[in-house]
Amino acid sequence: MKKIAVLTSGGDAPGMNAAFRAVVRKSIYEGIEVYGVYQGYQGLVNDNIKKLELGDVGDIIQRGGTKLYSARCPEFIEPDVRQEGIDNLKKRGIDSLVVIGGDGSYRGAQRLNEEGIKTIGVPGTIDNDINGTDFTIGFDTALNTVVDAVDRIRDTATSHERTFIIEVMGRDAGDLALWAGVAGGAETILIPEASSDIKSVAERIETGMNRGKKHSIIIVAEGVMSASECGGELRKYINVDTRESVLGHMQRGGKPTGNDRVLASRLGAYAVELLLEGVSGHAVGIENNSLSKTSFDKVFEEHHKIDEGLFRLSKELSI
Ligand code: ADP
């Protein structure tokens, strides 16, 4: 391996900076030149690439967002467009790339690997929806942000004896809603991976109201329906006064938790280690608290699944 480049792509996540820092510092520690590609695949194509030194990643481990910027680049599915990016790397003698992002970004990484750039993926997304890792970078921070919001909303729900519906991020993935629901003591958790029977949710709220329970918290992942749709659906069955909160992009920002920083540091450095060993076409992850690698092919084999045991538990504890 001669020179490594690193980019962040897709939706940003807290801890991406810590992963970026780890890639840069580990590379320099190993005596390898390292380059930052700014604005994801868009920057790769536009030749927005800069050689980095130790100081370039100073004072960023604690910062949310990504100092490398991120961008969506739909045209990257075109082989000709990718070739422009590959040429930009090759003209600098860069033969290896670390891509920090979600599964969309991994698709681009897989293509680049097939086309001659040795590529490793690092899971950076708040969704926790990538196979080959128990946790993605950013999930723990987003989880704690949502739990904090749920706690605050619960104060009002209790004081005003109301049902609150809290909409959290997760178009196809329910991990954030599920974990936040368990941690926040939600009465109901609606996730895309499970069918949502609003009638039975309404019946449970009614039963609770009849035995004197005057407030409840429903957490709905955005991929299931919006909070206001959920309120409307409930009122088809019961006479309940709901309040809706859409947490939105606040879930993506903020300084990374200690766990996310450690995870990002471990995974970023491991990506460089694998490239040094001659491994590419893989994504790094953490499984049973050990570093692991999974080929992109395997990562894409099936849709990411939720923890069924945790989902069952959430129901058992919210009776
Ligand atoms: P995430 O990585 O967070 O899942 P996206 O799905 O938006 O985010 O993907 C990020 C970028 O990855 C896209 O804007 C595009 O540049 C690239 N990408 C996604 N799918 C492919 C694909 N099939 N082939 C090549 N590049 C892709």
Side-chain angles (χ1 to χ4, degrees):
M1 185 175 49
K2 290 174 275 192
K3 298 174 182 178
I4 293 186
V6 53
L7 61 80
T8 53
S9 166
D12 69 322
M16 276 184 161
N17 277 327
F20 163 45
R21 170 183 179 271
V23 171
V24 171
R25 294 259 163 108
K26 176 74 173 171
S27 298
I28 294 174
Y29 176 82
E30 298 289 352
I32 299 158
E33 266 185 35
V34 58
Y35 291 75
V37 180
Y38 291 80
Q39 294 161 330
Y41 293 129
Q42 192 66 58
L44 190 61
V45 175
N46 293 347
D47 205 18
N48 197 353
I49 302 171
K50 191 186 130 204
K51 185 168 179 292
L52 299 170
E53 308 300 341
L54 284 176
D56 288 318
V57 290
D59 198 30
I60 65 167
I61 195 167
Q62 79 282 20
R63 296 191 197 281
T66 163
K67 209 189 166 201
L68 279 175
Y69 301 100
S70 190
R72 313 258 181 203
C73 177
E75 55 275 26
F76 206 68
I77 53 170
E78 306 291 340
D80 294 356
V81 175
R82 284 199 301 277
Q83 191 56 49
E84 286 177 45
I86 292 171
D87 292 345
N88 288 333
L89 292 176
K90 287 200 168 155
K91 74 182 181 197
R92 292 178 173 83
I94 301 167
D95 58 355
S96 304
L97 176 69
V98 176
V99 171
I100 305 167
D103 55 354
S105 304
Y106 278 14
R107 299 258 172 208
Q110 184 184 36
R111 294 282 97 80
L112 288 173
N113 191 66
E114 288 159 2
E115 290 158 359
I117 298 294
K118 299 186 193 85
T119 307
I120 293 283
V122 175
T125 164
I126 65 165
D127 291 337
N128 207 39
D129 62 345
I130 301 187
N131 288 329
T133 190
D134 294 341
F135 295 104
T136 57
I137 297 162
F139 175 66
D140 187 60
T141 307
L143 170 63
N144 281 288
T145 302
V146 174
V147 170
D148 184 53
V150 172
D151 289 350
R152 287 164 194 261
I153 288 169
R154 177 184 287 283
D155 289 346
T156 298
T158 313
S159 305
H160 288 269
E161 304 184 328
R162 281 209 177 104
T163 295
F164 264 83
I165 305 170
I166 305 171
E167 181 186 318
V168 307
M169 280 185 166
R171 265 192 289 273
D172 310 304
D175 269 41
L176 193 54
L178 174 57
W179 283 64
V182 171
E187 277 71 20
T188 301
I189 302 168
L190 302 173
I191 55 174
E193 292 89 344
S195 58
S196 304
D197 179 0
I198 299 292
K199 186 162 179 263
S200 74
V201 172
E203 283 165 1
R204 285 203 307 127
I205 291 176
E206 196 162 47
T207 310
M209 280 157 56
N210 288 342
R211 68 173 159 90
K213 186 178 165 76
K214 300 225 173 66
H215 69 269
S216 79
I217 302 268
I218 297 171
I219 297 198
V220 58
E222 63 183 343
V224 177
M225 65 182 93
S226 71
S228 65
E229 281 166 343
C230 184
E233 287 294 311
L234 275 178
R235 280 187 292 277
K236 285 184 185 167
Y237 302 102
I238 50 169
N239 180 20
V240 60
D241 188 18
T242 60
R243 291 291 180 273
E244 288 89 33
S245 274
V246 181
L247 299 188
H249 280 84
M250 66 169 307
Q251 297 162 89
R252 287 244 294 260
K255 60 183 201 152
T257 59
N259 271 329
D260 268 334
R261 297 181 203 190
V262 172
L263 179 64
S265 300
R266 291 174 80 184
L267 295 184
Y270 186 46
V272 175
E273 251 173 53
L274 287 181
L275 287 168
L276 279 167
E277 286 169 16
V279 177
S280 69
H282 283 68
V284 294
I286 193 98
E287 292 177 285
N288 301 319
N289 203 28
S290 294
L291 293 168
S292 67
K293 62 176 192 299
T294 308
S295 71
F296 286 134
D297 292 344
K298 186 113 179 52
V299 168
F300 295 135
E301 233 166 47
E302 52 184 22
H303 197 264
H304 180 261
K305 294 193 177 70
I306 52 146
D307 182 336
E308 291 291 343
L310 188 62
F311 192 45
R312 266 197 310 279
L313 179 68
S314 76
K315 291 180 172 169
E316 290 168 10
L317 300 186
S318 61
I319 45 171

